[in-house]
Amino acid sequence: TKARGTELLRFPPRRRYPTVELRAETFNGSAHVPVPSDSAFLKALLLELRLEDEHVFVEQRDTCTRINHSCVHSVSTAAGELWPVLAFHKSGLVYACVPLVEGTLEPRPPLLTVSGLSQGLALLLGIVDYVSPSRKNEAELNSKVGQLRSLLIQACPLGTPLNTNIRSLNSSFEDIQEMPADKDQPAWRSSSYKGKPQVNVCIAEKVKCMQYDQRDVVDTWQVYGAVNCKCDIEGPAPNVTLSLTLPTNAPPLQDIVVHHCVTSVDPAMLMSTSAEPLHDSVYNGPYKFPFIPPSDSFNLCYYTSQVPVPPILGCYQLIEEGSQIKITVNLKLHESIKNSFEYCEARIPFFNRGPIAQLEYKVSYGQLDLSREKSLLVWVIGQKFPKSLEVSLSGTVSFGTAGKEHPTDYVCTGNTAYVKLYFRIPDFTLTGCYVDQHSVQIFVPGKPKITASRELIASDYYIWNSKAPAPMVYKPLLD
């Protein structure tokens, strides 16, 4: 949780997060009560839970004004009342954590507004689920409890739970260091690697598009990229430098956001934004990222780019004639795009209508399928466009009586309809961005193995019916 301390009482395993305790002091101001030492906290908590001096009247605990109907407690310490403390007693064990309250403690905020409570409870219940099956076997219980500290480094490395299913982490606990072996090891390198150094890099770009084929409506498209890395390198704090390269005259990368493990970067790189029109002062590289990699896979950076054309240009026309509708779809792959797809298909849904009762069509390329619900046409173009780079589909469709199982849409009424494209092009990016394997520098002994890949994926790629009003209109700015 944003936990200020996590304890499994009566056993040594515990976790404290100094950075989160510092945040608590900042958030809570003058009302802040620090978490006491482990022994003092344990003694005060057992007293609060009536597990010590159970038959003795303790005014601060047993007064009628302190009736508690939840597992959220206020624990009396030498520095004051520590609240909230999430704690409960189950099967002879006590589970507790102190969630962070991101705000003032006076007056006490409602429990439902403290997000750390639900996070802390989920983490504790994950520990219960991991420990409880072994409670009747003392040796197995002691073994599991001994592993808890290592598992908590995975589940909650910096104070916020990343995985509350502690049981799922059990298989890899031996690879997790209990404490950093080196004082220079950053907190995000929670495990050690032994073996030949290797780096895997994948640039994944997604293109979003809205095409209207109308004179007074501007088509729009956007490209979003992410550079994912997995670095298996020995050492507590290995230094890696990775460079992104663009072809000559390619549009620059913009809106760059880097991972916190990046140690330095040219400020001009981060200032380049797509909100500003491209001009001579825009940052054109080199895009160099020195970093100390985390142990697991991570996204080194994100970026956008203002590419001049979308990869596939399309035109969709839907015209209603009596009980039938006529459809025409034309698609053209831009000549600069790699004509090699893992998959490429166009889906044509029909909203607010009955099932397709009759279909007559002609396709110049690929195959047309009808969905099981008979409300969607799937045009499978395949892995390549023909030499002309153009494909077309035309046909007439008639419908039966609409039922509850057929799709509805409040936007797509009447002839307002769309074709949605799905495709993936391996070993290609729309920006041309790539990683030169020879530019990856790793300052460790041995020759590292470098693997680099890239891909372009369609995301929300729509072509709207040009014979109907566009649902979202982008009017060109007039002088």
Side-chain angles (χ1 to χ4, degrees):
T1 358
K2 299 171 180 174
R4 285 159 60 190
T6 303
E7 298 269 349
L8 178 64
L9 301 181
R10 298 192 186 282
F11 289 94
R14 63 198 183 278
R15 285 285 292 164
R16 294 184 75 124
Y17 300 94
T19 55
V20 183
E21 293 190 49
L22 182 61
R23 290 181 64 204
E25 186 175 353
T26 303
F27 277 123
N28 304 157
S30 60
H32 175 71
V33 175
V35 179
S37 66
D38 295 339
S39 58
F41 178 76
L42 174 59
K43 184 176 180 180
L45 182 59
L46 293 179
L47 185 69
E48 171 65 22
L49 296 178
R50 295 180 173 83
L51 297 176
E52 281 191 3
D53 296 333
E54 181 181 0
H55 303 294
V56 177
F57 178 80
V58 179
E59 184 173 357
Q60 65 185 30
R61 178 191 68 187
D62 301 321
T63 176
C64 293
T65 60
R66 285 288 306 276
I67 298 176
N68 200 338
H69 297 288
S70 74
C71 56
V72 180
H73 301 270
S74 178
V75 175
S76 181
T77 70
E81 292 287 317
L82 182 62
W83 182 92
V85 176
L86 185 58
F88 54 87
H89 182 218
K90 184 176 177 63
S91 304
L93 299 176
V94 173
Y95 304 82
C97 70
V98 184
L100 172 67
V101 178
E102 297 180 328
T104 181
L105 295 176
E106 292 181 356
R108 286 185 180 176
L111 295 183
L112 289 177
T113 66
V114 182
S115 60
L117 284 171
S118 58
Q119 296 174 10
L121 182 60
L123 182 62
L124 293 182
L125 291 177
I127 296 174
V128 171
D129 180 62
Y130 170 72
V131 170
S132 291
S134 307
R135 64 181 184 273
K136 294 181 181 179
N137 185 325
E138 187 173 348
E140 187 178 344
L141 177 61
N142 288 334
S143 174
K144 282 197 169 184
V145 170
Q147 297 166 12
L148 263 179
R149 181 175 178 82
S150 297
L151 296 175
L152 285 173
I153 294 176
Q154 297 178 72
C156 192
L158 299 176
T160 300
L162 304 179
N163 187 352
T164 57
N165 186 359
I166 307 299
R167 189 194 297 267
S168 70
L169 304 173
N170 187 33
S171 60
S172 57
F173 78 93
E174 292 179 349
D175 297 332
I176 303 300
Q177 298 177 358
E178 188 166 300
M179 293 295 289
D182 191 293
K183 65 179 182 178
D184 296 325
Q185 180 170 333
W188 58 84
R189 283 187 64 80
S190 57
S191 64
S192 60
Y193 171 78
K194 299 293 182 183
K196 185 177 179 179
Q198 52 186 358
V199 175
N200 292 293
V201 185
C202 178
I203 302 176
E205 287 187 356
K206 292 185 178 181
V207 55
K208 295 187 176 185
C209 192
M210 290 281 180
Q211 296 183 38
Y212 301 97
D213 191 34
Q214 294 185 18
R215 184 172 298 177
D216 61 340
V217 185
V218 178
D219 294 345
T220 63
W221 56 92
Q222 297 168 305
V223 179
Y224 303 89
V227 180
N228 184 268
C229 299
K230 178 70 168 70
C231 302
D232 295 323
I233 306 172
E234 292 186 4
N239 289 294
V240 180
T241 298
L242 183 147
S243 297
L244 300 182
T245 305
L246 292 176
T248 306
N249 299 325
L253 305 184
Q254 295 177 292
D255 304 319
I256 298 175
V257 178
V258 299
H259 192 274
H260 58 74
C261 71
V262 176
T263 53
S264 64
V265 71
D266 191 324
M269 185 192 302
L270 304 181
M271 295 299 290
S272 181
T273 170
S274 58
E276 299 283 341
L278 293 179
H279 50 76
D280 294 340
S281 63
V282 73
Y283 188 85
N284 287 295
Y287 303 96
K288 221 173 231 195
F289 301 90
F291 59 96
I292 300 174
S295 308
D296 299 320
S297 174
F298 70 103
N299 285 329
L300 176 67
C301 69
Y302 300 89
Y303 63 84
T304 68
S305 182
Q306 300 182 46
V307 295
V309 292
I312 298 177
L313 291 169
C315 171
Y316 177 37
Q317 294 184 350
L318 182 152
I319 303 173
E320 198 157 0
E321 294 183 352
S323 60
Q324 290 185 330
I325 63 170
K326 286 188 174 183
I327 61 169
T328 304
V329 184
N330 295 303
L331 301 176
K332 182 177 181 180
L333 180 69
H334 194 271
E335 57 195 19
S336 65
I337 306 302
K338 181 182 179 183
N339 190 9
S340 179
F341 295 77
E342 181 179 305
Y343 58 85
C344 181
E345 65 182 41
R347 298 184 185 180
I348 311 169
F350 296 99
F351 297 104
N352 312 309
R353 303 174 189 270
I356 295 175
Q358 187 174 356
L359 171 64
E360 296 180 3
Y361 68 91
K362 180 181 178 181
V363 290
S364 66
Y365 195 80
Q367 175 182 330
L368 188 68
D369 297 324
L370 178 62
S371 69
R372 181 181 301 177
E373 299 79 13
K374 297 185 177 180
S375 59
L376 174 71
L377 296 180
V378 181
W379 182 13
V380 180
I381 298 167
Q383 296 181 322
K384 270 186 177 294
F385 275 65
K387 287 185 178 180
S388 65
L389 302 182
E390 296 184 35
V391 293
S392 63
L393 160 68
S394 60
T396 59
V397 185
S398 58
F399 301 89
T401 305
K404 292 183 179 179
E405 69 277 10
H406 293 284
T408 59
D409 192 291
Y410 293 107
V411 173
C412 297
T413 58
N415 288 348
T416 301
Y418 62 77
V419 173
K420 188 173 182 181
L421 299 188
Y422 296 81
F423 58 81
R424 178 181 180 271
I425 306 178
D427 194 29
F428 180 81
T429 51
L430 197 55
T431 61
C433 183
Y434 67 96
V435 174
D436 183 354
Q437 298 183 24
H438 300 291
S439 72
V440 179
Q441 300 176 354
I442 306 177
F443 302 97
V444 292
K447 186 177 180 181
K449 179 183 178 182
I450 311 296
T451 304
S453 61
R454 53 184 185 161
E455 62 181 8
L456 176 67
I457 302 172
S459 172
D460 297 330
Y461 203 108
Y462 293 92
I463 301 170
W464 290 91
N465 178 21
S466 61
K467 297 296 184 180
M472 291 175 288
V473 178
Y474 297 87
K475 297 282 187 184
L477 294 177
L478 301 176
D479 293 334

